[in-house]
Amino acid sequence: MREKDAPACGLTRKDLLEAIAAGETLSSIERAWGMKYNTIHNWVKKWGLKGITPDRAQELLEQNSDAVESPAGPAPVTVEDVASRIIAAEAERTKEKDDEIDRLRSELEKATDEIKALSVEKEKATATISDLNTQLEEARPVSNESDEPAGIVVEKNDSMVDHPAHYNAGHIECIDAIEAATTGLSGVHAFNTGTAIKYLWRWSHKGGIEDLQKARWYIDRLIAAAGGA
């Protein structure tokens, strides 16, 4: 038995779309055409219009008036239609992938540029640190003293330990002069006298003005220790 293409009341797919586009509801259309309760829903499903809205109904009326006028329902889908849809969908996916690849490539290039810039900054900072270290070494005062803490043995050249040149000017060694000058002295008197002589002895051979200032400092302490002003 051949299946009916439309309700017995004469309602067509086009009629239904025009009514829905005009703002009618399925229930009002069903009543207007004298259809049994809920019968219209079967035809809506058969005609492929489930969930139809006024805007969609108007769109279908405008796009395919010939198909709407046919009571046999929507035009059959051909193999060519399916193939076309598949190709279009694949093209869209390919485009999305290409766009994503382009985006990632752009971000990679940006990150690479940032890394290069940071590398340049690091090289500059390293060079600056090196220059500052060099300047610091050049600016650091050179100690003219060798006053190592008690108990620490510092390896030195034998001549610098036994007979340093700056203490052996002339025919008398500084240590001999100090021992002679401090004979009969003790404590701070002996220490300040000997130390002042040491700096006065070597100032022109080693420490210059700084040694003279040190000698004056110890002489002032000696004066104070001896009861002077």
Side-chain angles (χ1 to χ4, degrees):
M1 183 177 180
R2 185 174 178 272
E3 186 178 357
K4 292 182 180 181
D5 295 329
C9 63
L11 178 69
T12 66
R13 187 171 183 270
K14 180 182 178 183
D15 294 330
L16 178 63
L17 288 172
E18 289 175 344
I20 292 175
E24 295 289 337
T25 65
L26 293 178
S27 296
S28 65
I29 296 170
E30 188 177 53
R31 288 193 301 272
W33 284 83
M35 302 173 69
K36 292 182 180 181
Y37 180 68
N38 274 342
T39 302
I40 196 170
H41 291 285
N42 295 328
W43 289 101
V44 168
K45 182 177 179 182
K46 182 176 180 179
W47 287 335
L49 300 177
K50 187 175 181 179
I52 191 70
T53 63
D55 290 339
R56 178 58 179 162
Q58 185 61 43
E59 182 181 349
L60 290 175
L61 287 169
E62 293 174 355
Q63 288 180 353
N64 195 357
S65 59
D66 293 338
V68 171
E69 292 172 356
S70 173
V77 178
T78 65
V79 175
E80 289 76 9
D81 291 336
V82 175
S84 177
R85 293 174 185 175
I86 293 174
I87 292 173
E90 186 63 28
E92 181 64 23
R93 286 194 293 269
T94 300
K95 183 178 182 302
E96 291 176 356
K97 290 180 180 179
D98 290 342
D99 291 343
E100 181 67 9
I101 290 173
D102 290 340
R103 184 186 67 79
L104 292 174
R105 184 179 289 113
S106 177
E107 292 184 0
L108 177 61
E109 291 175 354
K110 182 179 178 181
T112 301
D113 291 340
E114 291 177 353
I115 291 173
K116 289 180 180 179
L118 290 174
S119 296
V120 172
E121 291 298 324
K122 179 182 178 182
E123 292 177 358
K124 290 181 180 179
T126 301
T128 300
I129 292 173
S130 178
D131 291 341
L132 290 174
N133 283 332
T134 300
Q135 294 176 25
L136 179 62
E137 289 298 325
E138 292 175 351
R140 183 175 293 155
V142 178
S143 176
N144 293 317
E145 273 293 307
S146 182
D147 300 328
E148 289 78 18
I152 298 179
V153 178
V154 180
E155 294 184 1
K156 298 181 180 179
N157 182 277
D158 289 344
S159 62
M160 288 298 295
V161 174
D162 297 335
H163 304 287
H166 48 275
Y167 290 136
N168 283 278
H171 302 291
I172 301 174
E173 191 167 352
C174 180
I175 187 64
D176 295 329
I178 290 174
E179 288 178 353
T182 56
T183 299
L185 300 177
S186 63
V188 295
H189 297 136
F191 176 77
N192 289 328
T193 298
T195 306
I197 292 173
K198 177 184 74 171
Y199 286 121
L200 287 170
W201 194 280
R202 76 181 197 182
W203 80 268
S204 62
H205 302 286
K206 185 178 182 183
I209 297 299
E210 185 178 345
D211 276 356
L212 291 176
Q213 292 171 340
K214 291 178 179 179
R216 182 172 60 186
W217 190 84
Y218 281 102
I219 290 172
D220 288 341
R221 287 179 62 84
L222 179 60
I223 291 172

